[in-house]
């Protein structure tokens, strides 16, 4: 008799086995099964939690309102812009659309500033804001063209959403809306059907891997009711029939500084850092009705992953480039000669840390390329 037990390409053979040999083989088989199968299960779960499969992040941030009394909508958008930049998404991958320039409005008592907190504590306009579409460029047509990529050939790269099928995209909208529509510039509007069809075009053209849609407007939940494309998650500041309320009136400039939902969203994001493991379920709890007065809503049925396993930084942060080496670096004395590339990197980090040139956070999250290292600090 021939006994053959296999698992994962492993086979055990024994001709004319005795009963004790059969028992040993069974124990070995069970051990191999548990080791391989259970190991794969835990590995898959860890991978599902920390890896969304994306390789780059993009953000499209849109304020659709004009006029001084809508100051808060510009502050909403610039506050989200500030947060995503802090968490690692560069300007080259942010499309910022502001329908009015509050910083240069003649009614602004402090020109070149936009504040989001009372007593003018935080200027969200700053010194490095890159507005891609401003004023009358912020239209429904331009917004839809940015999403679908159907722009004229003369459009510069800074005004394009150059995403692909490995891109995670955050889309944030704020302004005045109603049941099934959002107004642009008080002169036109985009419907929830047009928005849903634009997202479907993006999916068909492989322009995103996962998409997070956030809208802060009256009856905001009506804007995601018609969505039907996969891998899409949506949040809104209010349900159908509810108003989205403003927050923090400032008597010095005579307007409200922010909307309630975005204010508490930004408070939540201030505690997020690039290595944070905070997940989307925690984001859904931002601004309960006791704070927002309206009832925030969310939709996850189209999203393929469990929101509890989706990191906030999968959308608000950026994929960090990490250089991995299997070499062991012994920093004790005496040091053995190291490969040239590693020796050069260690030498530069040692010099920069001791001279306080580079903050620790930058050293942790960014490793320059080898050519740049040699150009700046030639190795000996």
């Amino acid at each position: 008799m021939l006994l053959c037990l296999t698992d994962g390409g492993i086979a055990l053979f024994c001709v004319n086995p005795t009963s004790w040999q059969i028992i040993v083989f069974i124990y070995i088989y069970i051990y191999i099964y548990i080791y391989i199968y259970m190991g794969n299960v835990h590995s898959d779960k860890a991978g599902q939690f920390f890896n969304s499969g994306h390789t780059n992040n993009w953000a499209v941030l849109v304020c659709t309102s004009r006029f001084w009394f809508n100051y808060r909508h510009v502050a909403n958008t610039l506050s989200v812009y500030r947060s995503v930049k802090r968490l690692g998404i560069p300007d080259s991958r942010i499309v910022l659309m502001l329908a009015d320039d509050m910083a240069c409005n003649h009614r602004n008592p402090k020109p070149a500033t936009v504040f989001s907190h009372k007593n003018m504590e935080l200027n969200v306009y700053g010194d490095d804001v890159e507005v891609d579409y401003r004023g009358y460029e912020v239209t429904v047509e331009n917004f839809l063209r940015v999403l679908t990529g159907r722009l004229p050939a003369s459009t510069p790269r800074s005004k394009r959403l150059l995403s692909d099928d490995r891109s995670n995209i955050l889309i944030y909208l704020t302004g005045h809306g109603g049941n099934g529509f959002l107004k642009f510039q008080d002169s036109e509007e985009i419907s929830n059907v047009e928005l849903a069809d634009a997202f479907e075009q993006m999916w068909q053209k492989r322009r995103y891997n996962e998409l997070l849609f956030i809208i802060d407007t009256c009856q905001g939940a009506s804007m995601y009711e018609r969505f039907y494309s996969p891998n899409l998650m949506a949040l809104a500041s209010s349900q159908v029939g509810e108003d989205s309320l403003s927050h923090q009136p400032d008597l010095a400039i005579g307007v409200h500084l922010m909307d309630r939902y975005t204010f508490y969203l930004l408070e939540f994001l201030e505690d997020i850092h690039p290595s944070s493991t905070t997940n989307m379920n925690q984001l859904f709890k931002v601004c309960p009705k006791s704070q927002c007065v309206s009832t925030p809503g969310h939709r996850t049925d189209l999203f393929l992953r469990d929101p509890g396993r989706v990191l906030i930084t999968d959308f608000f942060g950026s994929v960090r480039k990490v250089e991995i080496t299997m070499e062991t670096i012994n920093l004790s004395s005496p040091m053995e000669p190291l490969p040239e590339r590693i020796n050069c990197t260690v030498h530069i980090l040692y010099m920069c840390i001791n001279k306080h040139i580079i903050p620790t956070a930058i050293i942790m999250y960014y490793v320059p390329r080898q050519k740049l290292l040699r150009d700046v600090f030639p190795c000996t």
Side-chain angles (χ1 to χ4, degrees), residues 56-61 89-97 130-133 137 141-164 167 169-171 202 205 207:
N56 57 90
N57 288 79
W58 288 81
V60 180
L61 313 177
I89 302 181
D91 269 314
S92 58
R93 291 187 176 174
I94 300 174
V95 179
L96 180 60
M97 308 177 78
E130 293 186 14
V131 183
D132 301 299
Y133 292 81
E137 288 183 318
E141 179 183 355
N142 282 342
F143 174 60
L144 294 177
R145 285 185 179 278
V146 167
L147 295 184
T148 58
R150 302 169 70 176
L151 290 162
S154 59
T155 305
R157 290 177 62 89
S158 62
K159 291 189 172 187
R160 294 177 179 268
L161 177 64
L162 300 173
S163 57
D164 55 39
S167 302
I169 303 177
L170 166 67
I171 296 179
M202 293 178 69
K205 297 171 72 173
R207 288 179 60 78

Side-chain angles (χ1 to χ4, degrees), residues 63-314:
C63 164
T64 65
S65 299
R66 289 184 67 80
F67 310 120
W68 178 250
F69 56 83
N70 291 318
Y71 181 102
R72 65 189 184 278
H73 295 154
V74 174
N76 288 346
T77 310
L78 289 174
S79 297
V80 176
Y81 171 81
R82 172 181 172 270
S83 290
V84 297
K85 282 189 67 175
R86 179 180 64 82
L87 291 172
I89 302 181
D91 269 314
S92 58
R93 291 187 176 174
I94 300 174
V95 179
L96 180 60
M97 308 177 78
L98 300 180
D100 204 346
D101 193 354
M102 299 303 175
C104 297
N105 191 294
H106 68 279
R107 299 174 68 178
N108 192 340
K110 290 195 174 183
T113 61
V114 174
F115 294 96
S116 63
H117 285 72
K118 284 184 178 180
N119 304 319
M120 300 185 177
E121 295 173 357
L122 179 61
N123 175 22
V124 292
Y125 198 78
D127 299 324
D128 59 348
V129 173
E130 293 186 14
V131 183
D132 301 299
Y133 292 81
R134 66 172 70 243
Y136 289 110
E137 288 183 318
V138 182
T139 63
V140 172
E141 179 183 355
N142 282 342
F143 174 60
L144 294 177
R145 285 185 179 278
V146 167
L147 295 184
T148 58
R150 302 169 70 176
L151 290 162
S154 59
T155 305
R157 290 177 62 89
S158 62
K159 291 189 172 187
R160 294 177 179 268
L161 177 64
L162 300 173
S163 57
D164 55 39
D165 61 342
R166 310 309 294 172
S167 302
N168 275 14
I169 303 177
L170 166 67
I171 296 179
Y172 173 86
L173 296 175
T174 184
H176 291 289
N179 190 354
F181 69 89
L182 176 69
K183 292 199 295 185
F184 273 65
Q185 311 255 14
D186 279 340
S187 61
E188 59 177 343
E189 60 191 37
I190 184 172
S191 71
N192 52 7
V193 175
E194 291 172 316
L195 191 59
D197 289 343
F199 289 155
E200 178 61 17
Q201 282 190 51
M202 293 178 69
W203 176 256
Q204 294 293 340
K205 297 171 72 173
R206 302 172 65 86
R207 288 179 60 78
Y208 73 87
N209 172 54
E210 293 173 336
L211 191 149
L212 175 62
F213 173 78
I214 301 178
I215 186 166
D216 190 346
T217 186
C218 297
Q219 308 193 58
S222 65
M223 291 302 292
Y224 60 61
E225 288 180 339
R226 299 298 185 92
F227 290 174
Y228 56 94
S229 304
N231 259 9
L232 195 154
M233 189 185 311
L235 293 88
S237 61
S238 57
Q239 298 292 335
V240 177
E242 292 183 341
D243 291 333
S244 184
L245 302 182
S246 56
H247 192 49
Q248 296 198 117
D250 191 298
L251 299 179
I253 60 177
V255 293
H256 286 79
L257 298 183
M258 288 192 76
D259 282 319
R260 284 179 175 269
Y261 181 78
T262 300
F263 175 82
Y264 290 106
L265 170 65
L266 269 296
E267 270 198 347
F268 172 81
L269 291 177
E270 284 299 306
D271 294 328
I272 305 298
H273 53 83
S275 298
S276 176
T277 56
T278 307
N279 63 62
M280 293 300 299
N281 279 341
Q282 294 165 276
L283 180 63
F284 298 155
K285 299 175 184 178
V286 166
C287 198
K289 190 169 184 177
S290 59
Q291 294 176 323
C292 269
V293 183
S294 62
T295 309
H298 61 271
R299 183 178 175 186
T300 61
D301 58 298
L302 298 171
F303 203 75
L304 301 183
R305 290 196 291 155
D306 176 8
R309 297 182 179 275
V310 179
L311 301 178
I312 296 294
T313 51
D314 281 353

Side-chain angles (χ1 to χ4, degrees), residues 1 3 14-26:
M1 182 178 70
L3 178 65
C14 181
V15 179
N16 299 323
T18 61
S19 58
W20 70 267
Q21 288 175 322
I22 294 176
I23 294 173
V24 170
F25 290 153
I26 291 175

Side-chain angles (χ1 to χ4, degrees), residues 311-327:
L311 301 178
I312 296 294
T313 51
D314 281 353
F315 293 99
F316 288 91
S318 180
V319 177
R320 289 174 287 157
K321 296 180 180 180
V322 179
E323 182 177 320
I324 300 176
T325 177
M326 300 304 293
E327 301 287 342

